[in-house]
Amino acid sequence: MRATGAGNGGRYRLLGAAGAAAAVAGGWAVGTLPAHDPWGLWVPRGTALTAAGYALAYGGLTALVVAWWLYGRTGAGVRDSLVTLVWWAAPFVVAPPLYSADVYSYIAQGAMVLEGHDVYEVGPSVLDPAGPGGDAAASVGGHWTDTPAPYGPFFLLLARGVAWATGGTIVPAVLLMRLIALASLALIAWALPHLAREHGRSPGAALWLGALNPLLLMHVAGGLHNDGLMIGLMLVGVVLALRGRWIGGSVLVGLAMMVKTPAAVALLFVAVLVGRAATGGLVRRAAKGLFGPGAVAGAVVVLTTLLGGTGFGWVATQGVAGRIHTALSPTSDLGLGLGELLRLLAGTDPGPVKAAVQNLGLAAGVALILLAAWRAAAGRLDAVHGLGLGLVALVALSPMVQPWYLLWGTVVLAATAAGSTVRDVVVVLSAALGYETQPSGSTPAYGFVLAALVCGAGGVLLRRERATAPGARVPGQRRPADASVEPHTTTAHRRAVTPSGE
């Protein structure tokens, strides 16, 4: 498959929009439907409609992935890519939840805050089935029904507002949550071109890999995961920090942490940016980098927690997700396998063995993040690129890994990574992981088979392109017009040695 011309962009835009519309249409029959919809819109259908729904959903996903893959070769600029993003995201506005039941947890937890329940002590099952949020609580995935919220107070404030505005009624509550998800997508789309320009990369290519990514569309616009909000706030905060406005950037990163705590990784790299941009001796620069952003974000954390009225219980609930085994987590799989082997050989309890391997993996992920931050502070690694690599390492070595977690680092790397093996891996995984989960939110065995097949096909296509057209532009590669902008002469690198603006 050779590189295609920019004139084909409109054709691929239409193909992707048709694919998104088909996936949404299928989702009305086989999406993550609520246990009870008083409006009668999102309800189970008959056998024939269910089969048609699966065909539409998987056919639409495939069309979107193909359109995305080909669109990346057109060299489309920022304006065209933003138009394409609108076309591809628009069908999801009216979709039921897809690929996950998490949005029902969000709505139920918002209703819990509204009614005065401690969301960090009890789960959605405490809600009155006939009261506000009762339908959402009944629709929560089984293992989350009695699980305390692992989310920060800022997100729970938003969820509380949704529950208050809609009374917890399923359809309007989901649609209001989708507005938050689409706003998150807008933040990401705004930040990516700015980050790309700061790093001498193609802004259009950054939008292609970061915002038009089918994994992002399916799991943020479709699945409504609050990871999108965390990523959007984090990226805008990093853009501000790169431009010397580190106080505002630290505020946004603090808010991102109060959605999901992995955003704290960004605070470390903002500290590196601030320290490298500060004037004075080494001690003064290190102190400003270490304590400045931390103090600002810490104040945001405390203030948000106090305003939310939910208390500091979120600190103790960060490990609840790790109790759930996900097959995408190498450390959990290894720990489980080793634990079961020792149980057979020595009769030991596999639980502690699995937990030990998970903890070792998490410690290794943290060590890699610290190593990337150290290299960035020493000037041997770009700080924002280090952030992307660190987030990918954290996800890969975490005890719980979901397909959309890849987006934490992918969206950052979309703006910082040149054509490289890392970028190729991100591209192929983005195409493949959308198949791992059913539109209904379950994870069937054939999902892993489909994902593996897509990975294999993607690798073959990339190798064939390089073999048959060595000079062709592959997805995400800089345009020729950008080739004269060397990374070490970009605005980001110049600011790294000049005083901060805040």
Side-chain angles (χ1 to χ4, degrees):
M1 191 191 320
R2 296 180 179 273
T4 55
N8 289 320
R11 181 185 307 169
Y12 303 142
R13 178 186 298 160
L14 287 173
L15 177 61
V24 168
W28 276 72
V30 297
T32 313
L33 304 178
H36 176 243
D37 172 15
W39 289 15
L41 295 176
W42 296 336
V43 295
R45 311 290 173 177
T47 304
L49 284 177
T50 298
Y54 274 116
L56 277 172
Y58 279 102
L61 171 62
T62 302
L64 181 60
V65 168
V66 170
W68 173 70
W69 185 279
L70 295 174
Y71 191 83
R73 288 148 175 76
T74 64
V78 171
R79 182 176 179 180
D80 285 341
S81 295
L82 289 176
V83 172
T84 300
L85 179 61
V86 172
W87 277 57
W88 290 4
F92 291 99
V93 173
V94 295
L98 301 173
Y99 299 100
S100 172
D102 281 6
V103 68
Y104 300 128
S105 291
Y106 305 159
I107 297 166
Q109 288 159 0
M112 290 170 64
V113 176
L114 194 62
E115 294 187 354
H117 297 286
D118 188 344
V119 293
Y120 298 126
E121 288 290 338
V122 294
S125 62
V126 302
L127 289 173
D128 180 359
D135 288 334
S139 307
V140 172
H143 49 257
W144 291 107
T145 303
D146 296 304
T147 302
Y151 312 118
F154 177 61
F155 180 72
L156 291 179
L157 275 173
L158 296 177
R160 179 186 184 276
V162 169
W164 173 82
T166 63
T169 306
I170 285 291
V171 173
V174 167
L175 295 182
L176 198 51
M177 277 291 181
R178 180 159 280 118
L179 290 182
I180 295 174
L182 293 176
S184 306
L185 191 58
L187 291 175
I188 293 170
W190 179 87
L192 281 172
H194 293 282
L195 281 177
R197 292 188 184 102
E198 294 281 355
H199 290 83
R201 310 301 180 203
S202 164
L207 279 172
W208 171 77
L209 179 54
L212 288 169
N213 192 313
L215 193 64
L216 182 78
L217 291 171
M218 288 297 180
H219 285 287
V220 174
L224 300 157
H225 288 291
N226 58 6
D227 301 72
L229 182 59
M230 180 195 78
I231 294 168
L233 291 169
M234 179 182 73
L235 286 184
V236 176
V238 170
V239 170
L240 294 181
L242 276 172
R243 295 179 173 182
R245 298 161 60 186
W246 64 267
I247 294 179
S250 300
V251 168
L252 291 178
V253 171
L255 288 176
M257 292 164 55
M258 290 294 90
V259 176
K260 296 188 77 169
T261 53
V265 177
L267 188 64
L268 176 62
F269 288 90
V270 168
V272 170
L273 290 171
V274 172
R276 285 182 57 79
T279 56
L282 177 62
V283 174
R284 183 179 186 277
R285 288 187 284 115
K288 184 175 181 179
L290 288 173
F291 297 111
V296 173
V300 171
V301 167
V302 172
L303 183 60
T304 305
T305 301
L306 294 176
L307 288 176
T310 54
F312 289 86
W314 57 269
V315 177
T317 62
Q318 295 309 300
V320 299
R323 302 171 193 164
I324 302 166
H325 183 87
T326 55
L328 286 178
S329 170
T331 58
S332 291
D333 293 338
L334 178 62
L336 180 62
L338 184 58
E340 290 297 330
L341 178 62
L342 290 176
R343 182 181 66 82
L344 291 174
L345 297 177
T348 59
D349 182 1
V353 177
K354 179 182 177 182
V357 175
Q358 288 176 324
N359 290 334
L360 285 173
L362 194 57
V366 172
L368 289 174
I369 291 170
L370 293 175
L371 176 62
W374 177 263
R375 287 175 55 82
R380 296 194 294 271
L381 178 68
D382 177 81
V384 183
H385 189 62
L387 168 61
L389 295 175
L391 286 170
V392 170
L394 178 63
V395 170
L397 294 169
S398 288
M400 180 180 180
V401 179
Q402 298 286 13
W404 55 93
Y405 288 4
L406 178 71
L407 298 169
W408 300 354
T410 294
V411 178
V412 179
L413 294 175
T416 64
S420 65
T421 301
V422 171
R423 196 176 183 96
D424 287 348
V425 169
V426 167
V427 169
V428 172
L429 286 178
S430 296
L433 287 179
Y435 291 89
E436 189 258 354
T437 309
Q438 276 186 340
S440 63
S442 63
T443 307
Y446 69 77
F448 293 95
V449 175
L450 291 175
L453 290 174
V454 174
C455 280
V460 169
L461 286 174
L462 287 175
R463 286 197 299 271
R464 181 178 297 175
E465 285 180 349
R466 286 185 170 82
T468 58
R473 183 170 63 252
V474 297
Q477 196 171 359
R478 282 188 294 169
R479 293 183 180 186
D482 296 326
S484 61
V485 184
E486 296 298 328
H488 52 267
T489 62
T490 61
T491 307
H493 285 264
R494 289 196 301 272
R495 286 200 176 106
V497 293
T498 55
S500 172
E502 287 187 22

